[in-house]
Amino acid sequence: MSLENTNITSLERLVTPKQFKQQYPINESIEAHVEKSRETLRNILDRKDNRLIVVVGPCSVHDTKAAIEYAERLSKLADELKDDLFIVMRVYFEKPRTTVGWKGLINDPYLDGSFQIEKGMSLGRDLMIKINELGLPIANEALDPISPQYMQDLISWSAIGARTTESQTHREMASGLSVPIGFKNGTDGGLEVAINALQSASNGHSFLGIDAEGKVSIVHSSGNQYSHVVLRGGGGKPNYDSVNVRLTERELRASNLPINIMIDCSHANSSKDPELQPLVLDNIAQQILEGNQSIIGVMLESHLKAGNQKLTDDKSQLEYGMSITDGCISWETTENSLRQLAKKLSGFKHSVGQNYV
């Protein structure tokens, strides 16, 4: 009688993180770029750099060709607006699902339920190398606790999603990641789980993980001092307005946490209507112009084409450059919105010094 793996149909061995990185190596230029990008983000959180962080890009990457075209456009825009905005490309490969559905490029790169995970990881790492070569920092959602060993050296900022902010596994993982981490508020819009997550991730933990050789290890972390909250609304209500921002400041202060707030312009903050994202962005810019010192960044879901489309069995019918998960604003809207944002903030800077308290 078997007492183990009764619901497991098969096991496939994956190459070790060390072997994988040898197959897809990075050069000194990329290494320097990633470290400089991380340092810039830390400086913004520390108020040593007064630019606004902008995390922008597709809800999820399903087509690497379209992702590269988007990155090429965004790289030029990032350089144009670099005096006022620090632009980071959203490159999300893993999608948490409420029930079932496509789980992202790593899990199912061929969009057909074949789950060629090693191929998905290869496609993902190759894409991130190319995006870093274009001079763009990369943001992703840290969902699977194993994949950072394979990908993290190419990432400058990570998010912990609303569905996983409450997870002890993800809080422990965040405590050991080498990048600034944004914890989203809960799906109900509540702040408590995010505040608890920030406190947890800033402390050291001991937990199970793998090393570069792929061996199960006890990981001892020192804590991540650059975790911060991301307001994304929830429970059918937005929380980007000045009242909710002030309430968030109060909660952070009461918990003796740095007063650093990023606002996600999508999800419940735009009532799940992507075309409302620029209006949310305008509101955030106005709050900053009126003297807010706690908002350090924004997030936007954007692609080459506006909207989204359903994933069907006939992949030939998919429209190029359009999301297959959440709806996005178009490239033209993105370009216009970010130029307007930079123009508004030009000449107006956050106070440079210690974290706002």
Side-chain angles (χ1 to χ4, degrees), residues 20 26 30 33-34 64 68 89 91-93 106 121-134 136-140 147 150-156:
F20 188 66
I26 61 173
I30 291 178
H33 164 68
V34 173
T64 57
I68 284 293
M89 181 169 166
V91 186
Y92 281 31
F93 295 140
I106 288 179
M121 292 182 71
S122 298
L123 287 171
R125 186 167 176 87
D126 182 63
L127 175 63
M128 287 200 292
I129 288 172
K130 291 175 179 175
I131 292 173
N132 273 295
E133 286 175 340
L134 289 170
L136 278 174
I138 286 176
N140 86 324
S147 61
Y150 291 84
M151 303 284 198
Q152 195 66 29
D153 58 326
L154 291 163
I155 294 165
S156 297

XYZ file of all heavy atoms in Angstrom, residues 20 26 30 33-34 64 68 89 91-93 106 121-134 136-140 147 150-156:
317
model
N 21.065 26.199 -14.970
C 20.170 27.043 -15.764
C 20.824 28.380 -16.080
O 20.770 28.872 -17.214
C 18.868 27.248 -14.988
C 17.778 27.938 -15.752
C 17.187 27.336 -16.854
C 17.341 29.197 -15.372
C 16.167 27.973 -17.556
C 16.328 29.840 -16.066
C 15.744 29.222 -17.164
N 24.490 35.913 -17.788
C 24.446 37.366 -17.945
C 25.877 37.892 -17.918
O 26.761 37.294 -17.315
C 23.598 38.041 -16.859
C 24.166 37.779 -15.457
C 22.162 37.579 -16.936
C 23.458 38.555 -14.354
N 25.022 43.686 -17.775
C 23.691 43.445 -17.217
C 23.762 43.429 -15.696
O 22.896 43.999 -15.016
C 23.101 42.133 -17.762
C 22.776 42.264 -19.250
C 21.841 41.742 -16.978
C 22.236 41.004 -19.887
N 23.864 46.897 -14.532
C 22.576 47.557 -14.762
C 21.561 47.172 -13.693
O 20.853 48.036 -13.150
C 22.045 47.190 -16.147
C 20.588 47.484 -16.342
N 20.085 48.761 -16.394
C 19.521 46.653 -16.479
C 18.777 48.716 -16.552
N 18.410 47.448 -16.602
N 21.474 45.883 -13.375
C 20.517 45.418 -12.371
C 20.856 46.002 -11.006
O 19.974 46.493 -10.285
C 20.466 43.880 -12.319
C 19.599 43.403 -11.148
C 19.923 43.308 -13.629
N 6.469 36.647 -26.335
C 7.767 37.302 -26.111
C 8.100 38.309 -27.203
O 8.782 39.296 -26.950
C 8.888 36.260 -25.986
O 8.919 35.440 -27.164
C 8.662 35.364 -24.768
N 9.042 42.216 -26.408
C 10.264 42.899 -26.845
C 9.915 44.196 -27.568
O 10.564 45.234 -27.345
C 11.106 41.986 -27.758
C 11.825 40.921 -26.923
C 12.123 42.784 -28.553
C 12.891 41.469 -25.990
N 9.863 48.132 -16.192
C 8.910 47.380 -17.001
C 8.333 46.209 -16.222
O 9.050 45.415 -15.625
C 9.546 46.871 -18.290
C 8.555 46.095 -19.157
S 9.171 45.754 -20.808
C 7.993 44.519 -21.373
N 7.148 42.749 -16.054
C 7.371 41.523 -16.829
C 6.898 40.358 -15.959
O 7.671 39.735 -15.237
C 8.857 41.357 -17.214
C 9.037 40.155 -18.147
C 9.389 42.617 -17.890
N 5.603 40.096 -16.022
C 4.971 39.104 -15.147
C 4.802 37.779 -15.879
O 4.132 37.710 -16.915
C 3.612 39.609 -14.682
C 3.662 40.615 -13.548
C 4.722 41.496 -13.389
C 2.628 40.684 -12.617
C 4.756 42.413 -12.356
C 2.649 41.595 -11.575
C 3.717 42.465 -11.443
O 3.758 43.373 -10.418
N 5.385 36.733 -15.308
C 5.325 35.390 -15.907
C 4.424 34.429 -15.146
O 4.114 33.353 -15.642
C 6.724 34.764 -15.941
C 7.700 35.471 -16.827
C 9.008 35.637 -16.428
C 7.325 35.954 -18.070
C 9.940 36.260 -17.248
C 8.235 36.586 -18.894
C 9.547 36.742 -18.483
N 5.620 30.908 -17.646
C 6.469 29.851 -17.095
C 5.697 28.549 -16.992
O 6.181 27.487 -17.387
C 7.025 30.268 -15.716
C 8.097 31.348 -15.895
C 7.604 29.068 -14.973
C 8.692 31.854 -14.595
N 10.459 28.584 -18.434
C 11.521 29.262 -17.689
C 12.629 29.728 -18.625
O 13.188 30.814 -18.458
C 12.071 28.334 -16.611
C 11.070 28.040 -15.503
S 11.733 27.000 -14.187
C 12.869 28.134 -13.408
N 12.930 28.920 -19.627
C 13.959 29.296 -20.601
C 13.535 30.524 -21.399
O 14.312 31.464 -21.579
C 14.241 28.124 -21.542
O 14.734 27.009 -20.839
N 12.288 30.515 -21.864
C 11.768 31.664 -22.606
C 11.779 32.917 -21.727
O 12.132 34.012 -22.177
C 10.341 31.386 -23.088
C 10.176 30.398 -24.241
C 8.691 30.072 -24.445
C 10.763 30.975 -25.522
N 11.386 32.742 -20.462
C 11.323 33.868 -19.545
C 12.684 34.462 -19.264
O 12.859 35.687 -19.306
N 13.662 33.613 -18.987
C 15.003 34.137 -18.680
C 15.615 34.810 -19.906
O 16.225 35.879 -19.794
C 15.916 33.023 -18.168
C 17.265 33.557 -17.709
C 18.079 32.567 -16.907
N 19.392 33.127 -16.602
C 19.675 33.885 -15.563
N 18.727 34.168 -14.685
N 20.899 34.365 -15.367
N 15.459 34.207 -21.067
C 15.990 34.799 -22.292
C 15.365 36.171 -22.547
O 16.063 37.126 -22.910
C 15.721 33.861 -23.469
C 16.288 34.399 -24.785
O 17.523 34.551 -24.869
O 15.499 34.667 -25.711
N 14.053 36.281 -22.317
C 13.375 37.562 -22.514
C 13.880 38.609 -21.530
O 14.153 39.758 -21.908
C 11.862 37.384 -22.342
C 11.021 38.663 -22.410
C 11.133 39.317 -23.783
C 9.564 38.373 -22.061
N 14.051 38.229 -20.285
C 14.510 39.196 -19.284
C 15.933 39.670 -19.552
O 16.265 40.828 -19.296
C 14.378 38.607 -17.887
C 12.939 38.517 -17.415
S 12.759 38.371 -15.616
C 13.435 36.742 -15.360
N 16.753 38.787 -20.078
C 18.108 39.202 -20.464
C 18.026 40.280 -21.546
O 18.699 41.320 -21.462
C 18.927 37.986 -20.952
C 19.293 37.084 -19.768
C 20.196 38.441 -21.678
C 19.930 35.769 -20.163
N 17.188 40.054 -22.559
C 17.061 41.006 -23.664
C 16.503 42.352 -23.186
O 16.925 43.417 -23.651
C 16.183 40.411 -24.753
C 16.832 39.241 -25.482
C 15.880 38.588 -26.476
C 16.565 37.428 -27.199
N 15.646 36.688 -28.089
N 15.542 42.313 -22.256
C 14.956 43.557 -21.757
C 15.986 44.342 -20.940
O 16.089 45.567 -21.056
C 13.686 43.269 -20.936
C 12.577 42.747 -21.873
C 13.209 44.516 -20.197
C 11.328 42.276 -21.162
N 16.769 43.636 -20.126
C 17.835 44.311 -19.382
C 18.877 44.902 -20.323
O 19.427 45.970 -20.066
C 18.492 43.336 -18.403
C 17.771 43.275 -17.065
O 17.723 44.251 -16.324
N 17.193 42.121 -16.762
N 19.152 44.215 -21.429
C 20.106 44.738 -22.416
C 19.619 46.042 -23.028
O 20.428 46.867 -23.467
C 20.354 43.695 -23.508
C 21.228 42.534 -23.061
C 21.369 41.445 -24.103
O 20.524 41.371 -25.027
O 22.319 40.649 -24.009
N 18.299 46.239 -23.047
C 17.730 47.487 -23.567
C 17.835 48.622 -22.545
O 17.476 49.766 -22.840
C 16.263 47.275 -23.949
C 15.997 46.418 -25.185
C 14.504 46.096 -25.301
C 16.475 47.133 -26.447
N 16.312 48.596 -19.487
C 15.115 48.711 -18.655
C 15.234 47.847 -17.413
O 15.585 46.673 -17.510
C 13.871 48.264 -19.438
C 13.216 49.270 -20.369
C 12.095 48.588 -21.144
C 12.653 50.464 -19.591
N 14.925 48.383 -16.242
C 14.794 47.539 -15.056
C 13.522 46.690 -15.189
O 12.574 47.080 -15.883
C 14.660 48.537 -13.909
C 14.997 49.863 -14.490
C 14.708 49.791 -15.937
N 13.501 45.558 -14.498
C 12.385 44.622 -14.602
C 11.677 44.468 -13.263
O 12.310 44.344 -12.215
C 12.867 43.248 -15.105
C 13.176 43.325 -16.602
C 11.854 42.147 -14.821
C 13.750 42.042 -17.181
N 10.326 44.458 -13.323
C 9.488 44.154 -12.173
C 8.742 42.855 -12.441
O 8.367 42.576 -13.580
C 8.483 45.277 -11.935
N 8.540 42.066 -11.386
C 7.731 40.865 -11.550
C 6.949 40.594 -10.282
O 7.130 41.251 -9.273
C 8.604 39.648 -11.902
C 9.162 38.945 -10.674
O 9.500 39.566 -9.681
N 9.271 37.643 -10.756
N 11.147 29.631 -8.054
C 11.614 30.296 -9.268
C 12.598 31.450 -9.037
O 13.423 31.718 -9.911
C 10.424 30.776 -10.117
O 9.627 31.698 -9.409
N 16.107 30.857 -9.952
C 16.392 30.754 -11.379
C 16.365 32.116 -12.086
O 16.949 32.266 -13.158
C 15.358 29.839 -12.052
C 15.482 28.387 -11.670
C 14.898 27.883 -10.509
C 16.193 27.492 -12.472
C 15.010 26.544 -10.155
C 16.313 26.155 -12.127
C 15.726 25.686 -10.973
O 15.858 24.360 -10.623
N 15.682 33.097 -11.500
C 15.405 34.344 -12.227
C 15.822 35.625 -11.514
O 15.967 36.669 -12.148
C 13.889 34.450 -12.495
C 13.289 33.299 -13.258
S 13.702 33.385 -15.022
C 12.462 32.281 -15.699
N 16.013 35.591 -10.203
C 16.072 36.820 -9.422
C 17.225 37.740 -9.776
O 17.153 38.954 -9.562
C 16.114 36.482 -7.931
C 15.814 37.643 -7.000
C 14.381 38.137 -7.111
O 13.484 37.383 -7.440
N 14.169 39.420 -6.851
N 18.286 37.195 -10.349
C 19.436 38.043 -10.695
C 19.136 39.009 -11.830
O 19.935 39.898 -12.119
C 20.651 37.170 -11.054
C 20.386 36.211 -12.202
O 19.250 35.716 -12.334
O 21.322 35.942 -12.977
N 17.973 38.867 -12.466
C 17.591 39.750 -13.569
C 16.490 40.739 -13.183
O 16.035 41.519 -14.019
C 17.117 38.905 -14.764
C 18.226 38.097 -15.460
C 17.623 36.999 -16.325
C 19.099 39.003 -16.290
N 16.066 40.707 -11.932
C 14.903 41.475 -11.487
C 15.339 42.600 -10.557
O 16.233 42.431 -9.729
C 13.897 40.535 -10.786
C 13.328 39.536 -11.810
C 12.775 41.312 -10.120
C 12.620 38.361 -11.199
N 14.688 43.770 -10.697
C 15.028 44.932 -9.868
C 13.973 45.246 -8.814
O 14.281 45.881 -7.800
C 15.237 46.169 -10.757
O 16.328 45.972 -11.636
